[in-house]
Amino acid sequence: MLKLGLDLSLSSIRPQGVWSPDDEASLVAWYQKEVGISLNGSDVSEWKDSSSNTYDMLQATATEQPAYSAGVLSFVAADNNHLQTVAGVAGQISLTDDFTLGFRINPNTTNGAFIGDNTSSNEYFKFATASRISFKIAGSASTNLDLASGTFGDDYLVITRSSDVLTLYHNGSPQLAGTATVAGTALIDCIGVRRIDINDYEGDISEIQIYSSTSAALTANVNDRLATL
């Protein structure tokens, strides 16, 4: 099979003074658009972490590899398309306190876990309905983040947790209905499913950013970057 690495691209070169996720000391993982992609034909076998932490996402099973085109990974639920870190402590992302999650994403269906943990139960964020994200952290009850109006589509989304309060931002706007309070350590080791290989996500993803902090400035910078992708 052809294997092609796309570790460098023009998108990885930024003008001087422009903010980048790797400017942040709290950056945990960054699955950057058009960067760090390894292909098996036209499908993704690996999406390297652009942070220094090497939480690389891989898929060795060819039939479970998401398709790739023009910087976009396309996941098919029926094919169990997903990517996962190397098993064990080295591959486990653990967010114990505040965090910021950023996504450039376009779901096709509901009930899909776009990010979560495939080795620990009850750890995920998924599109529960066309206007609701549901999630579980540390075995919590299923909790919801709702859009104030409209539905999800080709969007940029940011989810923050500050002092256990989660807030959803939809295309740069905080959602009045999109808040919830949940404590505990959030675990992440996969894109596209949750344990064990269920709630498969269907749709497109072009970038994911994960930070172990949150602030108004960070939220604004993440939103601004995602808006340009």
Side-chain angles (χ1 to χ4, degrees):
M1 287 287 187
L2 174 66
K3 180 178 175 62
L4 177 63
L6 302 177
D7 292 333
L8 295 175
S9 75
L10 291 176
S11 64
S12 66
I13 303 172
R14 69 181 190 270
Q16 185 175 3
V18 174
W19 178 87
S20 175
D22 54 10
D23 293 335
E24 301 293 329
S26 67
L27 179 65
V28 175
W30 179 19
Y31 305 102
Q32 185 177 2
K33 183 177 181 181
E34 298 182 303
V35 175
I37 301 290
S38 293
L39 293 178
N40 175 28
S42 60
D43 298 331
V44 177
S45 60
E46 182 176 19
W47 197 359
K48 287 186 179 295
D49 176 11
S50 286
S51 83
S52 61
N53 296 317
T54 63
Y55 289 116
D56 302 331
M57 294 281 181
L58 304 98
Q59 181 51 262
T61 303
T63 57
E64 297 181 356
Q65 295 169 350
Y68 181 81
S69 178
V72 176
L73 285 73
S74 297
F75 295 75
V76 176
D79 294 338
N80 190 223
N81 291 164
H82 68 283
L83 302 170
Q84 189 167 340
T85 60
V86 176
V89 175
Q92 183 66 72
I93 297 172
S94 300
L95 303 172
T96 56
D97 295 307
D98 293 354
F99 61 70
T100 300
L101 309 175
F103 307 89
R104 187 74 203 210
I105 193 165
N106 186 6
N108 292 336
T109 63
T110 59
N111 205 37
F114 52 97
I115 197 166
D117 201 282
N118 206 18
T119 53
S120 299
S121 299
N122 299 316
E123 299 281 350
Y124 63 82
F125 287 84
K126 73 175 184 177
F127 291 103
T129 73
S131 60
R132 169 174 289 176
I133 290 173
S134 67
F135 66 92
K136 288 188 177 182
I137 292 174
S140 66
S142 181
T143 309
N144 301 321
L145 299 170
D146 292 323
L147 293 180
S149 62
T151 58
F152 295 110
D154 185 6
D155 298 324
Y156 55 99
L157 304 177
V158 175
I159 299 170
T160 65
R161 181 167 73 174
S162 177
S163 300
D164 297 338
V165 178
L166 283 86
T167 302
L168 170 65
Y169 294 78
H170 178 244
N171 295 334
S173 299
Q175 302 299 291
L176 296 179
T179 60
T181 302
V182 178
T185 299
L187 302 179
I188 297 169
D189 72 2
C190 67
I191 301 169
V193 295
R194 69 178 182 100
R195 186 178 184 268
I196 301 172
D197 288 354
I198 62 172
N199 292 146
D200 301 83
Y201 170 73
E202 178 147 341
D204 298 336
I205 301 176
S206 55
E207 180 152 311
I208 299 174
Q209 303 171 30
I210 301 172
Y211 305 84
S212 59
S213 71
T214 193
S215 69
L218 176 59
T219 299
N221 282 329
V222 174
N223 272 313
D224 287 347
R225 173 178 165 79
L226 294 174
T228 67
L229 300 182

